[in-house]
Each structure stands twice: as C-alpha cells, then as structure tokens.
Amino acid sequence: MNHTVNLWPLLGVAVIIVGFALRAHPVLVVVAACFVTGFAAAMDVPTLLATLGAAFIKTRNLPLILLLPLAAIGLLERYGLKEHAQASIARIKSATAGRLLIVYLAIREVSAAFGLTSIGGHPNMVRPLIAPMAEGAAEVRYPKLPDTVRHRIRAMSAATDNVGLFFGEDVFVAFGAIVLMQTFLLGEGLNVDPLHIALWGIPTAVTAFIIHAWRLHRFDAQIARTMKRMAP
C-alpha cells in the first residue's frame, strides 16, 4: 500500500497562478501550464501534443456557446434594452423593487427545479433586464435615486438570482449534486433513490423562498427609510 504519489505535475497550477499574477496572455499561460504538467508527469512530446489537440477539438465550440449570447445581449443593450425595461416596469404603479424581485425569485426557483437553469443568470438576465427593471420600479416612487441605492438594488438582484438557482436546482433529480449524494450514500451501503433526495429538497427550497421573499419585502422598507433620510 506504500504508493508514491508524484506531486510534480502540480507545478502546472503554480504556472497558472504566476502567469495570471503577471497578467500574461491567458492562452499562453494555459498552454505553458499544460506543457509543464505533461513534462512533470513524464509524458513524451507526441503524447502531450495529441492530448492538447484532443482537448482543443472537444472544446472548440465552447467559445461560440459563451460569446454569441454575450454578443447578442450587448447589441440589445446598445439599442435600448435597458431603457425599454425601465420604461415598461415604470407603467406598473404598484411595482416596487422588492415585489419585482420576489416574482423573479419564484420564476427562477421553479424553472431551476425543472432543470431550466439557463433561463436566468447574471450576464444574460440580471444585468440587462432584472436589475434595470428593479431600478425603474424604485424610480417610480423615488425619481432621484442615489448611486448607493442603485448599487444595493443591483446587488440584491444578483443575490436573488443566486438564491433561486441554488435552492431550485436541488429539486431537479438529474442535478449533479443529487447524483453525487446518491453515489456517496451508496458507497456507505445506503441505497437511496435520487428522486427521494430531490423531493426532500422541496422543503428547503420553499423555506429559502419564504426567507428571501421576506428580505426583499424588508428591502423596500430600507429603500424608503434611506430616501426619507436623504430628503431635503
């Protein structure tokens, strides 16, 4: 049982840390780390190049998947997506930042429970739509919002997305964490159905919704108190 573990391949991690600390080109840093790791693991050059080539072929479509949605969102923002979102929510007189975020929390949590985790997100939903709409709802009551309040609304919008996704996806039976828990329990001799694990995530998701919805309700009151203090 006395197997010697070769720790030299971990030098690749050090190369990445140093490269990013020096602000070197990310592609060069990653390739250099791959070569350092490969040589430290006693891989010959043909095998190392073949491994790099195979990894590149497998992930060559990844930049398109990540960059195309961001480019589309950038074009929408350039042509007034944020302004239209603020104007639309401003027509609803009863809307507040907290109420709007409670509705988004429910949508985000329910959609994540059905495995639709890509519907929301910070870059494609919170920044271009949810945060501007929450700001617009606050501006209906307080036309001159200070930057401190705006930043708090944006932060709460991002936090709402995080809460909805985190606790909603625990209800989805094919979520990786549920599979991991089922595998761990099976290794300990406990054969637990993944569906049962997902079902037990429902009370947690409901509780998280209630707690965060209450925080959002209080958030409206906090904005009101802040604006009252700043009133001349």
Side-chain angles (χ1 to χ4, degrees), residues 9-169:
L10 294 178
L11 287 174
V13 178
V15 172
I16 291 178
I17 294 174
V18 173
F20 286 163
L22 297 176
R23 298 187 178 182
H25 196 285
V27 175
L28 295 178
V29 173
V30 172
V31 172
C34 291
F35 275 99
V36 170
T37 301
F39 290 141
M43 295 176 63
D44 56 85
V45 175
T47 303
L48 181 57
L49 293 177
T51 303
L52 286 175
F56 174 77
I57 294 297
K58 291 180 180 178
T59 59
R60 61 182 176 181
N61 293 327
L62 187 59
L64 294 178
I65 297 173
L66 295 177
L67 295 179
L68 283 180
L70 293 178
I73 293 169
L75 285 174
L76 290 173
E77 284 196 1
R78 181 181 179 87
Y79 288 98
L81 175 64
K82 177 180 178 180
E83 289 74 14
H84 284 296
Q86 289 178 327
S88 298
I89 198 65
R91 298 190 187 101
I92 305 176
K93 301 303 181 181
S94 61
T96 65
R99 291 171 185 172
L100 173 70
L101 292 178
I102 290 174
V103 173
Y104 178 67
L105 174 64
I107 296 173
R108 183 64 161 144
E109 195 164 326
V110 172
S111 61
F114 284 96
L116 304 175
T117 57
S118 60
I119 288 181
H122 293 186
N124 54 342
M125 185 63 74
V126 174
R127 184 184 185 277
L129 280 177
I130 303 302
M133 291 174 70
E135 290 182 42
E139 286 178 339
V140 172
R141 286 172 167 75
Y142 315 106
K144 296 182 179 180
L145 281 180
D147 289 339
T148 54
V149 175
R150 291 184 183 275
H151 293 160
R152 289 174 61 190
I153 292 175
R154 295 170 188 174
M156 187 61 79
S157 301
T160 301
D161 185 89
N162 289 345
V163 172
L165 174 63
F166 185 86
F167 290 98
E169 63 186 359

